[in-house]
Amino acid sequence: MDTTTSSNLTVTTISLTMAELGPLNPLPVVAAELDQPYTVGEGVSEELQASARYGVVPNIYPYLMQDGYSREAASREVPAVVLENSKLKMTVLPSLGGRIWELLDKATGKQLLHTHDAPQLANIALRKAWFAGGLEWNIGTRGHSPTSCDPLHTAIVQTSDGKHILRMWEFERLREVVFQVDIWLPEDSAVLFAAVRLRNPNDRDVPMYWWSNAAIPETDRTRVIAPADEAYGSDYTTDITRVRPTAHEGYDGTWLVNSPHAADFFFDIDPSERRWVVAADDDGDGLAMLSTGLLRGKKLFVWGQGQGGKRWQEWLSPGAGPYAEIQAGLAQTQFEHLVMPAGAEWAWVEAYGNGHLDPETSHGTNWDSAVAHAGERLEQLLPHEELEAMLPAAIADADVPPSTMLLHGSGWGVLERARRQKTGKGWIDESGTPFVDESITGEQEPWLGLLHAKAFDGAPSFVAGADWEGLLARQDSPDAKLHLATMRHARQDLEGAKAAYSEVLATDATPGTTALAHRGLGLALLAGGQDAEGLAELRNGVDSDPSNAALLTEAVTLSIRHGDPAMALKLNDAATKAGAGVGRLKFLRALALARTGNPGAAAAILREGVEIPDLREGEDALAALWQEVCPNEAVPAAYQFGMH
């Protein structure tokens, strides 16, 4: 295959009907709140169990949550880059996490990815906002990436041998690493290529996580095949255990429509086997995911055929039909992190195309025959040795400077470089992935000022690390004390955080800073089991800054959770009656009414209709409350979001 002659590359826009992302939630993410849906059960090796214990984080600090969206969608033009040759047409959305949004197989006219023109933002990602469809890049820790809905630095790269590469990159703040995705489509190639590079500039090991997730169309006759007889499976309610996907709980889970509920299957592929996963519809067509050896894991996810799974799919992709996901990752499963050594660089190449299997063999009852056939077909599509041989050139191309910049990502890479230069720490070679000053915004400017010994009077963003704590400790402003308290809190130094918050409250801080200090102190007290004291501090925070809608919603939520629904009702009465949070506040009012002995009023609210834009994946609170206050009535389909 000639991999140097390039396909056509077009910079354009596409029209999508979707809600605006909205403002960032201003509250620092300090509580130990990350859910772990998996617990390890029987048949799981000690090595894998150790990987599951390693690298777990309590939260995604210093990122802020993206929950300012609603479900009020409107048509808008979204930046896009199209790579096209005689066989494939691919569309990427650089401003939305760099997602591959479309992969059209021209011979069949089929979209190999689940795609549509009305993606709906929902609370699925680590920072909440996420949308279904396409192929996404996930880094940091288990979950959909912190950059899922962020613009990435994006450029066109022209190599000396004539290749045109679409490059996207960003500094990932949770692990303090740089990731890079290079995408190219050779002329007349039946497969699209993506080379991924991760760089750890730190003088310490970091826990690493990466999964490339592809949403695929789900039909009644779609089957997913991988070269394994067993897998690690989970249904989101029980331990993860070794299972046989083709004979799982009385059904063959490799058929997408057979699973009665949401399920994960992490295929246990022998190290000697080529690593791939492929979907095959009624004609044998479907996405094939191939990779070089470093990308070990291969997975199937289904929403299942239950009411909750169907409701979630309609919630995420209104009118677009059902989908499943096939995925590829660094570890064998998604409850693991790998040790990425200090200063290490990791790279691999992924390839995507139509597997175009024989439908009779791939859909037959003999799993071994289906696997053998799929393996042979994928070897014809792209020989394993040919793919592995592409890696050295991809690594060399990764440092070729961009020819044309298309889009700026965040300014955090610029700030990180400045911090490391100031403190004499190592950094990456930016030749291929420049972080430019034009990407700096008001989120980074106060921190750049602090690096240059300017007075620190607060910032709308947050940072982490000993260098920043040292700089802030030399400042005497209330805002510097607040950010110090926040850093301690985020790493779960609750006693240190409480002391620092109390220092802030002893100053003449602004109402906004005072409110955040009360809020932080309240959360720390709640974490220590001091419910009454903690809720009182939250109330003080709301009183200090009544304009902070996020703070009020959090206080209402925690008042109910910690046994004071009457306080929740009082706070709810003061809430704004407009904005993205109205739906959740309406639900919280119903919940508080039920908890204060007024189920009739709660039922009336639910019957009137409640829609919560940031309803969390698997959150079944609407159905649970309905069953409580309307015990003799069936739960409306619109309220059924349970994963099982």
Side-chain angles (χ1 to χ4, degrees):
M1 178 189 299
D2 180 359
T3 61
T4 59
T5 305
S6 292
S7 58
N8 291 324
L9 188 154
T10 306
V11 180
T12 183
T13 63
I14 65 170
S15 180
L16 293 178
T17 300
M18 62 188 303
E20 294 290 343
L21 187 59
L24 291 172
N25 187 316
L27 305 179
V29 184
V30 291
E33 60 183 17
L34 273 190
D35 294 330
Q36 298 297 329
Y38 304 122
T39 53
V40 178
E42 296 179 1
V44 178
S45 69
E46 176 53 39
E47 177 186 5
L48 197 150
Q49 292 184 50
S51 296
R53 292 189 293 267
Y54 171 68
V56 176
V57 292
N59 50 53
I60 60 161
Y61 183 90
Y63 289 105
L64 292 174
M65 287 295 185
Q66 296 172 317
D67 59 3
Y69 55 87
S70 70
R71 292 186 66 80
E72 296 176 4
S75 180
R76 58 190 178 102
E77 293 300 307
V78 177
V81 180
V82 176
L83 286 172
E84 184 173 7
N85 66 10
S86 61
K87 297 180 179 178
L88 295 173
K89 180 181 179 181
M90 178 219 64
T91 304
V92 172
L93 306 179
S95 65
L96 290 169
R99 192 173 302 202
I100 298 178
W101 187 236
E102 297 176 337
L103 185 59
L104 174 69
D105 177 51
K106 292 186 175 182
T108 62
K110 294 180 180 181
Q111 289 284 0
L112 301 179
L113 298 170
H114 170 74
T115 186
H116 49 107
D117 60 5
Q120 177 60 57
L121 295 173
N123 181 3
I124 304 287
L126 289 166
R127 297 173 68 192
K128 295 192 175 181
W130 183 83
F131 59 101
L135 192 155
E136 59 178 310
W137 322 105
N138 295 307
I139 186 173
T141 191
R142 189 220 163 261
H144 296 278
S145 181
T147 56
S148 289
C149 290
D150 284 351
L152 301 185
H153 299 278
T154 307
I156 299 170
V157 177
Q158 297 181 8
T159 65
S160 59
D161 56 6
K163 187 188 302 180
H164 286 71
I165 296 171
L166 175 65
R167 175 170 298 159
M168 299 176 290
W169 68 96
E170 187 54 281
F171 173 69
E172 199 288 299
R173 303 182 68 205
L174 185 67
R175 301 303 188 186
E176 297 181 348
V177 300
V178 175
F179 72 90
Q180 167 184 350
V181 180
D182 284 4
I183 301 175
W184 72 99
L185 179 61
E187 187 176 28
D188 294 327
S189 172
V191 290
L192 174 75
F193 296 97
V196 180
R197 179 168 67 160
L198 309 180
R199 287 182 284 177
N200 175 15
N202 300 287
D203 58 4
R204 66 183 188 281
D205 298 347
V206 297
M208 187 45 57
Y209 176 100
W210 179 281
W211 281 80
S212 303
N213 292 11
I216 57 172
E218 178 186 292
T219 74
D220 291 343
R221 294 284 295 164
T222 302
R223 190 184 204 185
V224 167
I225 302 170
D229 292 329
E230 295 188 332
Y232 294 101
S234 168
D235 62 5
Y236 291 79
T237 61
T238 58
D239 292 348
I240 191 162
T241 57
R242 282 189 76 84
V243 301
R244 186 174 289 269
T246 54
H248 178 58
E249 297 179 352
Y251 64 89
D252 183 345
T254 65
W255 292 91
L256 302 186
V257 297
N258 279 1
S259 294
H261 44 66
D264 286 337
F265 295 106
F266 298 95
F267 294 104
D268 188 14
I269 301 173
D270 188 277
S272 65
E273 295 281 350
R274 186 180 191 185
R275 303 184 184 282
W276 51 264
V277 61
V278 62
D281 66 12
D282 200 36
D283 300 316
D285 295 316
L287 183 70
M289 298 183 76
L290 305 162
S291 62
T292 52
L294 188 60
L295 208 62
R296 177 185 183 187
K298 298 293 181 284
K299 173 192 166 185
L300 165 64
F301 163 76
V302 293
W303 282 105
Q305 302 305 301
Q307 182 59 45
K310 292 179 178 179
R311 179 67 178 116
W312 266 111
Q313 296 199 70
E314 182 62 25
W315 181 258
L316 293 166
S317 304
Y323 75 94
E325 293 188 13
I326 55 176
Q327 307 173 5
L330 280 173
Q332 189 165 5
T333 70
Q334 287 170 341
F335 55 93
E336 301 170 81
H337 298 91
L338 301 185
V339 178
M340 187 174 191
E345 293 189 10
W346 288 353
W348 63 89
V349 179
E350 305 181 31
Y352 317 105
N354 187 350
H356 198 56
L357 308 184
D358 172 68
E360 183 175 347
T361 308
S362 60
H363 290 178
T365 57
N366 189 317
W367 175 251
D368 290 340
S369 296
V371 169
H373 164 68
E376 292 169 2
R377 176 66 189 95
L378 298 184
E379 186 65 18
Q380 295 168 9
L381 179 68
L382 179 62
H384 178 56
E385 290 186 4
E386 186 173 320
L387 179 58
E388 291 288 346
M390 299 174 90
L391 183 57
I395 293 172
D397 288 342
D399 283 322
V400 176
S403 306
T404 306
M405 284 296 301
L406 301 179
L407 188 69
H408 293 312
S410 79
W412 294 113
V414 175
L415 182 68
E416 183 68 6
R417 179 184 65 216
R419 177 186 74 83
R420 289 169 182 270
Q421 289 175 343
K422 184 77 173 179
T423 56
K425 295 181 173 64
W427 181 233
I428 64 165
D429 176 0
E430 288 191 28
S431 299
T433 54
F435 293 102
V436 296
D437 291 345
E438 289 84 351
S439 62
I440 289 290
T441 69
E443 290 187 276
Q444 296 85 33
E445 285 172 347
W447 303 108
L448 282 171
L450 181 61
L451 276 178
H452 295 102
K454 293 183 179 179
F456 183 79
D457 295 318
S461 56
F462 297 85
V463 294
D467 290 342
W468 293 114
E469 293 196 33
L471 290 168
L472 286 168
R474 294 196 284 272
Q475 300 272 326
D476 197 39
S477 69
D479 287 286
K481 297 179 187 297
L482 174 71
H483 279 270
L484 275 172
T486 299
M487 291 183 194
R488 293 175 184 174
H489 197 165
R491 64 170 187 266
Q492 305 310 298
D493 174 9
L494 297 182
E495 293 305 315
K498 286 188 286 187
Y501 286 131
S502 298
E503 285 187 35
V504 178
L505 295 173
T507 69
D508 57 349
T510 64
T513 299
T514 299
L516 290 180
H518 279 302
R519 179 251 184 182
L521 181 56
L523 292 181
L525 290 166
L526 290 176
Q530 296 175 266
D531 288 355
E533 296 87 345
L535 293 179
E537 288 297 333
L538 291 183
R539 181 61 188 260
N540 290 338
V542 173
D543 291 342
S544 298
D545 187 5
S547 67
N548 193 325
L551 178 57
L552 187 144
T553 301
E554 181 183 66
V556 172
T557 303
L558 293 175
S559 297
I560 298 171
R561 187 180 302 167
H562 290 272
D564 195 345
M567 173 178 159
L569 285 174
K570 290 179 182 178
L571 290 170
N572 206 310
D573 288 339
T576 179
K577 301 303 184 283
V582 168
R584 181 163 289 279
L585 284 168
K586 188 176 181 181
F587 165 72
L588 290 171
R589 180 170 184 80
L591 186 59
L593 285 167
R595 296 293 175 270
T596 52
N598 197 344
I605 290 175
L606 294 186
R607 290 196 180 97
E608 180 182 310
V610 176
E611 186 174 75
I612 307 174
D614 67 334
L615 191 78
R616 183 170 54 86
E617 180 181 16
E619 184 178 350
D620 209 18
L622 278 166
L625 182 58
W626 180 277
Q627 291 172 324
E628 177 183 335
V629 300
C630 306
N632 299 316
E633 300 178 41
V635 178
Y639 289 169
Q640 294 185 34
F641 287 92
M643 298 282 281
H644 197 275

